[in-house]
């Protein structure tokens, strides 16, 4: 636990950053509800529920919404439109993430006695290594408002079937099997991961090499600003 705390403290000193408004801040006009400009986008805001690796709703998520900066939301809407012709859409698990939510993750990671969700989210990883291995960090690009966690889902007749394509692992599965480059997953999962990556790259997002679901807008408008307004 001490080691994890030290690592987290060191991480906070890396890379200068601009922290946004105080805890009672309001959503800036430069952020929008992505679902309002991307018809067909499915939002499954995991951190507004107890179905996540912490096991409880996360601080700062008061409603199941997907807030993004306007450029990121517009680019995401283009991806949704691109996939529509194939009978597919995007399902987002997380979008903008308040700083207070990141702090909640850190507190959970330091509590080594809480392993309630281990079987589902990190069955082969010791919780004491989550900081060292990069699964939990003291700062998140999500708080800059142009990063999304998402997958591809099938559609029929305009209604979402809740049929996520097979990606080899679930969302937030802490394992090398979640790396986009992993080849231990099925060929179908590899193909689906490639489809997601290609679709997102086409519209200006860059992938993350440790999580198949994680993408950030290349020219994000707030590359060094971390926000903390609640999702409400």
């Amino acid at each position: 636990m001490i080691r994890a705390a030290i690592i987290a403290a060191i991480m906070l000193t890396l890379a200068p950053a601009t922290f946004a408004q105080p805890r009672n801040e309001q959503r800036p006009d430069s952020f929008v509800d992505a679902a309002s400009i991307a018809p067909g986008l499915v939002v499954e805001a995991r951190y507004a529920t107890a179905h996540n690796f912490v096991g409880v709703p996360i601080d700062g998520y008061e409603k199941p919404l997907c807030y993004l900066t306007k450029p990121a939301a517009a680019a995401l809407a283009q991806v949704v439109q691109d996939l529509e012709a194939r009978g597919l859409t995007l399902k987002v698990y997380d979008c903008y993430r308040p700083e207070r939510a990141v702090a909640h993750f850190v507190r959970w990671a330091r509590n080594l006695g809480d392993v309630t969700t281990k079987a589902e989210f990190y069955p082969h990883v010791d919780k004491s290594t989550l900081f060292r291995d990069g699964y939990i960090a003291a700062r998140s690009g999500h708080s800059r408002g142009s990063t999304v966690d998402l997958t591809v889902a099938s559609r029929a007749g305009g209604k979402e079937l809740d049929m996520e394509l097979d990606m080899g692992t679930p969302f937030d599965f802490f394992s090398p099997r979640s790396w986009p480059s992993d080849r231990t997953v099925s060929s179908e999962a590899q193909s689906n991961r490639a489809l997601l990556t290609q679709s997102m790259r086409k519209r200006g997002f860059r992938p993350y090499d440790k999580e198949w679901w994680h993408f950030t807008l290349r020219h994000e408008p707030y590359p060094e600003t971390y926000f903390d307004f609640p999702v409400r």
Side-chain angles (χ1 to χ4, degrees):
M1 181 182 299
I2 294 176
R3 181 180 180 184
I6 292 174
I7 293 174
I10 292 174
M11 292 176 69
L12 280 170
T13 67
L14 300 178
T18 301
F19 289 88
Q21 307 94 327
R23 302 280 285 194
N24 62 349
E25 66 181 283
Q26 299 298 310
R27 173 165 59 94
D29 291 339
S30 54
F31 281 70
V32 296
D33 180 352
S36 69
I37 65 171
L41 179 69
V42 179
V43 179
E44 185 180 316
R46 288 288 187 87
Y47 300 139
T49 76
H51 187 203
N52 60 67
F53 61 85
V54 177
V56 298
I58 304 302
D59 291 354
Y61 289 89
E62 300 178 15
K63 290 185 178 180
L65 300 172
C66 172
Y67 287 140
L68 290 172
T69 61
K70 289 181 178 178
L76 198 68
Q78 290 181 310
V79 181
V80 172
Q81 186 174 20
D82 292 342
L83 291 172
E84 184 177 7
R86 305 179 63 163
L88 301 172
T89 190
L90 293 176
K91 172 186 280 190
V92 293
Y93 299 118
D94 192 36
C95 301
Y96 156 73
R97 181 182 304 168
E99 280 274 277
R100 70 194 75 183
V102 180
H104 193 168
F105 292 166
V106 171
R107 291 196 304 274
W108 169 83
R110 289 173 176 168
N111 181 7
L112 299 184
D114 180 0
V115 291
T116 306
T117 64
K118 180 176 176 63
E120 180 176 0
F121 293 99
Y122 55 107
H124 310 301
V125 177
D126 190 288
K127 191 175 181 181
S128 66
T129 69
L130 294 181
F131 282 106
R132 182 198 70 190
D133 295 339
Y135 296 117
I136 301 293
R139 182 173 293 155
S140 172
H142 281 274
S143 300
R144 301 194 299 264
S146 297
T147 294
V148 290
D149 292 337
L150 75 178
T151 191
V152 180
S154 61
R155 297 179 61 82
K159 294 184 178 180
E160 202 270 324
L161 291 176
D162 200 26
M163 288 290 291
E164 302 169 16
L165 300 194
D166 177 14
M167 294 293 179
T169 71
F171 164 62
D172 264 355
F173 190 71
F174 299 159
S175 166
R177 284 174 57 83
S178 293
W179 297 4
S181 61
D182 182 78
R183 292 296 177 264
T184 66
V185 298
S186 69
S187 58
E188 179 183 4
Q190 292 178 43
S191 177
N192 291 336
R193 289 181 179 186
L195 170 64
L196 176 60
T197 298
Q198 292 164 7
S199 299
M200 296 295 286
R201 280 185 181 276
K202 178 181 177 181
R203 296 304 181 179
F205 290 90
R206 66 177 185 271
Y208 175 46
D209 63 1
K210 299 295 179 63
E211 298 172 349
W212 59 257
W213 54 81
H214 181 111
F215 296 85
T216 299
L217 189 68
R218 289 188 180 279
H219 301 294
E220 56 181 315
Y222 300 109
E224 295 183 353
T225 302
Y226 294 76
F227 294 86
D228 191 41
F229 62 88
V231 179
R232 61 163 64 121

